[in-house]
Amino acid sequence: MAEIVAPRPASTTLLLRDSARVGGIEVFMMVRHHQIEFSSGALVFPGGSIDQGDKEIVERPELYAGGAGLDPSASSFRVAAIRETFEESGILLARPKGSQDLIDAARAKEIEAECRGPLCEGKTTFLNVLAENELWLALDELVPYAHWITPEGMPKRFDTWFFLAAAPPDQLGAHDGRESTDSIWLSPREALEGAESGRFKLPFPTTRNLIKLGKQTSVGGTLADARDQPIVTVMPVMTRLNGGRQLRIPREAGYDGEVFEVGALG
């Protein structure tokens, strides 16, 4: 019997903005580099694994705000979400120390220009970026949206929390050119239509969350609704039937179904 691989803790952020262009919300997404081991070539939200540096930030409460009532594990998921968002999009959910307001777009751009490259290259740490620029991470800007765990039997597994966040005003975001090769603001409907046409490749959890997100019409309404909804953990169970594959997830997770066809077996 194959050994079950333990899932790695990870975080994903759905950055949202209201858009007159689409008459609703847009979400920031990126195309993964084709040489990336996980979800290569896929259209995804910013995110990645928790690292030791995230845990070190959690141990330094002077580096973040809005974490009241969160245990160290929950705080680590949020710190990782903000770090990965900054690394992969350049958007920074942080406040100047002592302020209740997020840093403005001009200051965020300065920090990105100075720190994003060295951070992604491992030449500095996110803890140093925060300390040197006198910033608090804005953990309270993140609203839990979903919790997915990769099915047992997969060679690479993740225990991923999905968070919603309103994009700070005038922070537009851009891919890093390393792990991702393109980035785009688009409506959930546009992302799903792109997958149907073959323009985009969407992982199954991304598809389900886009469909769920597509029912919303404004950022404020989306965040308020998410705050009121319980999070049901999803660990899909794959079954083989008539030459195809099906994934079963909990109906109460709120994804308009329980069994989903995911294509023919290779």
Side-chain angles (χ1 to χ4, degrees):
M1 184 175 179
E3 181 181 356
I4 296 176
V5 177
R8 294 167 57 184
S11 298
T12 293
T13 308
L14 284 65
L15 289 164
L16 308 176
R17 70 182 186 187
D18 291 310
S19 170
R21 180 185 70 84
V22 300
I25 60 174
E26 292 181 321
V27 60
F28 182 84
M29 302 189 74
M30 313 170 308
V31 177
R32 287 279 189 219
H33 195 286
H34 70 278
Q35 292 182 336
I36 293 293
E37 183 179 4
F38 186 74
S39 292
S40 62
L43 185 70
V44 297
F45 311 116
S49 299
I50 293 175
D51 65 22
Q52 184 58 37
D54 300 322
K55 298 175 183 178
E56 292 172 0
I57 290 174
V58 170
E59 295 171 357
R60 298 273 300 274
E62 72 274 16
L63 295 176
Y64 57 91
L70 299 176
D71 63 29
S73 175
S75 296
S76 294
F77 278 102
R78 295 194 185 215
V79 170
I82 297 177
R83 175 184 55 77
E84 287 284 346
T85 296
F86 179 63
E87 289 181 358
E88 297 194 338
S89 74
I91 293 175
L92 183 55
L93 296 168
R95 300 183 177 96
K97 278 198 173 179
S99 174
Q100 297 300 310
D101 299 322
L102 293 174
I103 59 170
D104 61 38
R107 180 65 180 129
K109 192 68 176 176
E110 292 174 356
I111 296 171
E112 178 194 4
E114 180 181 349
C115 304
R116 186 182 177 191
L119 179 62
C120 292
E121 294 166 7
K123 296 178 180 178
T124 189
T125 66
F126 200 38
L127 189 155
N128 288 340
V129 172
L130 300 176
E132 292 168 5
N133 290 281
E134 298 187 335
L135 297 174
W136 280 340
L137 290 184
L139 302 191
D140 53 314
E141 289 292 310
L142 298 172
V143 178
Y145 191 58
H147 182 212
W148 285 67
I149 301 175
T150 310
E152 295 179 353
M154 301 295 289
K156 185 179 286 285
R157 302 182 66 216
F158 294 92
D159 177 344
T160 305
W161 275 92
F162 291 75
F163 297 97
L164 301 178
D170 299 321
Q171 289 196 46
L172 302 180
H175 56 285
D176 62 9
R178 295 160 56 92
E179 292 191 8
S180 56
T181 59
D182 197 7
S183 56
I184 185 172
W185 284 95
L186 75 177
S187 69
R189 175 183 55 79
E190 289 171 324
L192 293 165
E193 289 177 350
E196 290 177 2
S197 70
R199 178 186 177 193
F200 303 132
K201 181 172 77 171
L202 293 176
F204 178 72
T206 305
T207 298
R208 302 325 310 172
N209 281 301
L210 283 168
I211 292 173
K212 183 179 177 182
L213 192 63
K215 299 176 183 178
Q216 303 290 341
T217 57
S218 70
V219 173
T222 304
L223 297 177
D225 187 61
R227 289 188 181 99
D228 290 338
Q229 299 300 320
I231 304 295
V232 176
T233 298
V234 176
M235 187 171 73
V237 176
M238 188 178 74
T239 58
R240 292 168 168 81
L241 182 66
N242 299 326
R245 294 181 300 170
Q246 293 180 332
L247 287 180
R248 182 180 298 273
I249 66 175
R251 181 176 296 276
E252 59 271 23
Y255 292 104
D256 293 339
E258 184 176 9
V259 179
F260 300 89
E261 304 288 340
V262 290
L265 291 169

